[in-house]
Amino acid sequence: MRRAARGSGPTWDCGYIAPDGRMQYTATSFTRPLVEDFDAFVKIEDSRNDPQGLFPTGGSFSSWRPGIARAFGFSHLFRLVGYLAARLRILQEGRVQLYLLYMAAVLVILLMWKL
């Protein structure tokens, strides 16, 4: 194993003299076999540009996986919090006297609740 250029970590050089960061394995390459077993829950979207011709000049491959928690839980929660925050925006109109009144009212309510 050789060290990749510019301190980007160890990588298998596959016969290349000067490997760079694009030739490294990522976490996705190690977890892909496991993720493919759970394809019903985790959808993998691939984008590829295969090399063409006798002496190809380039090709690319990328894969993207949306987060499960984001897709099923957090997006609805964040949408609800955003809606509530937009409704409560009227409380932040910027008058210091109102802020002091809010704090005094909360203090009175807490004192009455404690008694």
Side-chain angles (χ1 to χ4, degrees):
M1 225 161 41
R2 293 185 187 171
R3 201 158 233 340
R6 296 188 200 115
S8 56
T11 182
W12 184 255
D13 63 6
C14 298
Y16 291 103
I17 295 173
D20 61 11
R22 295 181 302 148
M23 298 174 190
Q24 290 187 12
Y25 287 109
T26 62
T28 305
S29 65
F30 289 114
T31 61
R32 183 142 187 155
L34 180 64
V35 170
E36 285 176 349
D37 291 339
F38 296 100
D39 192 37
F41 303 107
V42 181
K43 299 294 183 192
I44 300 174
E45 298 175 14
D46 292 336
S47 171
R48 70 175 49 211
N49 180 12
D50 292 332
Q52 302 292 323
L54 187 58
F55 298 103
T57 57
S60 64
F61 174 80
S62 65
S63 66
W64 181 75
R65 184 179 62 243
I68 298 171
R70 184 179 190 188
F72 292 113
F74 291 125
S75 63
H76 300 297
L77 177 66
F78 290 153
R79 199 173 305 129
L80 176 65
V81 169
Y83 174 77
L84 293 175
R87 291 288 182 193
L88 294 174
R89 189 175 297 152
I90 196 167
L91 297 176
Q92 292 185 334
E93 291 297 319
R95 296 195 61 182
V96 175
Q97 292 86 357
L98 283 176
Y99 292 148
L100 292 173
L101 180 65
Y102 296 151
M103 285 190 279
V106 168
L107 182 61
V108 168
I109 290 170
L110 287 174
L111 287 173
M112 289 174 56
W113 178 57
K114 186 63 178 171
L115 295 176

